[in-house]
């Protein structure tokens, strides 16, 4: 799937795989995040077959009109505040993407 948007500078087309890879890299660097995980067994199989898919593990991208919706499947470190880490993760991803 490709995200397309238009602004005063022209048309912008971004592949969802590129957005997922940037999101994965940002999420992995956040404090309190241990790992990003696949949602189900089918994604595990897809990761085995497609080596480049592992850089987008745990990230689901959806495009609605001019908005991009990002779902993250994350394992948090034991003992950290889930609210604080989730807010930090959300802010980091929003800023970098």
């Amino acid at each position: 799937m490709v995200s397309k948007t238009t602004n005063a500078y022209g048309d912008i087309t971004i592949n969802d795989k590129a957005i997922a890879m940037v999101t994965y890299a940002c999420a992995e660097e956040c404090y309190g995040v241990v790992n990003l995980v696949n949602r189900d067994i089918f994604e595990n199989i897809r990761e085995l077959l497609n080596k480049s898919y592992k850089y987008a593990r745990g990230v689901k991208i959806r495009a609605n009109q001019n908005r991009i919706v990002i779902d993250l499947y994350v394992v948090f470190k034991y003992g950290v505040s889930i609210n604080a880490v989730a807010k930090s993760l959300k802010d980091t991803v929003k800023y970098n993407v």
Side-chain angles (χ1 to χ4, degrees):
M1 182 184 280
V2 176
S3 300
K4 296 179 183 179
T5 186
T6 304
N7 61 16
Y9 300 111
D11 296 332
I12 300 172
T13 304
I14 303 172
N15 190 345
D16 286 350
K17 190 174 181 181
I19 296 170
M21 291 175 77
V22 169
T23 303
Y24 180 84
C26 295
E28 234 185 9
E29 305 244 337
C30 283
Y31 175 78
V33 174
V34 173
N35 200 1
L36 279 81
V37 295
N38 292 324
R39 292 179 295 155
D40 54 19
I41 188 82
F42 299 112
E43 288 195 12
N44 288 333
I45 294 169
R46 187 183 322 161
E47 184 177 335
L48 289 173
L49 298 174
N50 186 1
K51 299 298 180 189
S52 66
Y53 183 74
K54 70 179 180 179
Y55 298 109
R57 181 185 331 139
V59 180
K60 181 180 175 187
I61 306 293
R62 292 178 285 144
N64 294 341
Q65 297 169 2
N66 282 342
R67 293 179 175 253
I68 298 171
V69 179
I70 301 173
D71 294 330
L72 295 173
Y73 299 90
V74 180
V75 175
F76 292 119
K77 189 179 207 179
Y78 181 79
V80 297
S81 170
I82 293 175
N83 287 337
V85 175
K87 183 177 181 338
S88 170
L89 181 62
K90 183 178 89 170
D91 293 342
T92 302
V93 170
K94 187 186 290 188
Y95 176 77
N96 288 312
V97 173

